[in-house]
Amino acid sequence: ENIGGADEERGEGLHGRHNHTPAENVCVWVDLEDGEPVAKVSGIVRHALIFGVRYTVKRTFTFKRNQNSFTFRDEITNNGFTTKPLYLLYHFNLGYPLISESTQLLIDAVKIIPQNDFAAPMLKDWNKMTPPEPDYRQRNYYHYLEASEDGWRSYAVQNKAIDTRMTVRFHSPIMDKIFQWKNLAAGDYI
């Protein structure tokens, strides 16, 4: 599966087939957790290629009343007969008004690596947002995150000017880095 740019030779669009594959068995229901109603939505996306991977992803979103957050959990099952590598990309494109000159990226990385030679000289400014620029060239960085004692990793995007913060937390023993795609081009400001 492709998690990078489009691969026309293999017939894969940007970031592979997963985001273009409709879910099946989509369900919506309400559960009670600690006596409180909780809305849940789930669905299954199936991947199967001859001479390739055969797996399913069951994603469940959970929304709790009176909270400004949600969680999702993925259950990934290899339905094939051999072990195959699995590539995961959790992709969040954030834009204006959350992203602006007053935005702070809060990433407590143990190591930051520029993706290429172009981004390397701007490493010191990885977390600075500038006004949109017509000819801005994207800059990308790998941030290696250390897990907390309970195994969670997190990062946040905060804009105090609009009193808004988005925090992403994930629990995984193998997902130890995030990829920052910094594109502050006018019209594409993400």
Side-chain angles (χ1 to χ4, degrees), residues 41-108:
V41 179
S42 71
I44 296 172
V45 175
R46 188 176 310 280
H47 296 271
L49 293 172
I50 191 161
F51 308 120
V53 297
R54 290 182 178 88
Y55 63 91
T56 54
V57 178
K58 178 182 181 186
R59 177 167 291 170
T60 303
F61 288 92
T62 302
F63 305 90
K64 295 183 178 181
R65 188 169 68 167
N66 299 324
Q67 291 192 10
N68 63 354
S69 64
F70 67 91
T71 60
F72 70 86
R73 176 184 172 91
D74 285 344
E75 297 173 47
I76 303 168
T77 304
N78 179 355
N79 300 306
F81 298 98
T82 59
T83 301
K84 295 282 186 183
L86 177 67
Y87 301 95
L88 286 175
L89 173 70
Y90 291 104
H91 187 152
F92 301 94
N93 279 344
L94 309 174
Y96 183 83
L98 180 59
I99 304 300
S100 75
E101 302 93 282
S102 51
T103 298
Q104 294 176 290
L105 296 180
L106 306 171
I107 304 172
D108 189 18

